[in-house]
């Protein structure tokens, strides 16, 4: 078993506050940003920023599907953390100023499986997760 890290980044012409507001809107905006490898998305509590709870199925690969129930925290004004309550899966959104716009970094980490299954997970799951976040960032760019 080992830690798996997946990072996706994007720059946007919009100010950080506007970007973070959309990212933190789990009730409406986030539901519209998900690509097809997220199914069953629902807001379980809250809906905006810290204190929100969300659930969904993450299809990292065709055979690797995780049921996620995430609790959202905001450790500082530029960061949202989505911590799965069922596993070690954590996604950190960081939105920082970049020139006249914003730089968004999405980092997802989890403790991978051991053995042969873990070997394939370390190779293929990051590809699927990176594809997911790039699609979300593409959709976010369209919204901005």
């Amino acid at each position: 078993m080992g830690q798996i890290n997946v990072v996706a980044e994007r720059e946007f012409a919009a100010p950080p506050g506007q970007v973070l507001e959309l990212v933190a809107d789990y009730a409406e905006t986030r539901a519209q940003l998900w690509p097809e490898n997220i199914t069953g998305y629902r807001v379980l509590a809250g809906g905006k920023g810290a204190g929100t709870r969300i659930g969904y199925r993450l299809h990292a690969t065709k055979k690797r599907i995780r049921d996620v129930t995430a609790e959202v925290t905001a450790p500082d004004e530029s960061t949202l953390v989505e911590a799965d309550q069922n596993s070690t899966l954590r996604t950190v959104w960081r939105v920082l100023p970049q020139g006249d716009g914003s730089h968004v970094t999405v980092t997802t980490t989890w403790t991978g499986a051991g053995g042969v299954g873990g070997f394939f997970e370390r190779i293929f799951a990051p590809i699927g997760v990176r594809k997911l976040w790039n699609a979300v960032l593409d959709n976010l760019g369209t919204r901005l």
Side-chain angles (χ1 to χ4, degrees):
M1 293 199 307
Q3 182 85 359
I4 299 174
N5 298 301
V6 179
V7 178
E9 299 179 278
R10 193 70 50 90
E11 293 182 12
F12 295 108
Q18 180 183 359
V19 175
L20 196 57
E21 183 177 326
L22 289 176
V23 170
D25 180 7
Y26 293 91
E28 297 203 20
T29 303
R30 185 62 73 88
Q32 298 168 8
L33 299 180
W34 291 121
E36 66 280 352
N37 54 332
I38 294 293
T39 60
Y41 176 76
R42 64 210 177 278
V43 175
L44 304 170
K48 291 210 183 239
T52 297
R53 289 189 54 204
I54 56 174
Y56 57 89
R57 296 191 80 198
L58 167 61
H59 301 257
T61 66
K62 289 184 180 186
K63 294 187 179 185
R64 184 71 170 148
I65 301 169
R66 289 182 182 248
D67 286 313
V68 176
T69 302
E71 186 84 36
V72 179
T73 59
D76 60 51
E77 61 189 27
S78 64
T79 307
L80 290 172
V81 178
E82 300 167 5
D84 183 22
Q85 303 302 291
N86 303 318
S87 72
T88 59
L89 185 75
R90 303 285 178 271
T91 297
V92 178
W93 287 83
R94 176 152 279 198
V95 182
L96 297 172
Q98 177 80 29
D100 291 336
S102 306
H103 183 85
V104 178
T105 305
V106 184
T107 305
T108 297
T109 60
W110 70 94
T111 302
V116 174
F119 171 77
F120 287 104
E121 179 182 21
R122 286 187 297 280
I123 291 173
F124 294 109
I127 294 168
V129 173
R130 189 171 294 107
K131 180 180 174 184
L132 161 76
W133 293 127
N134 281 326
V136 169
L137 291 169
D138 288 346
N139 293 339
L140 179 60
T142 301
R143 290 292 305 262
L144 290 167

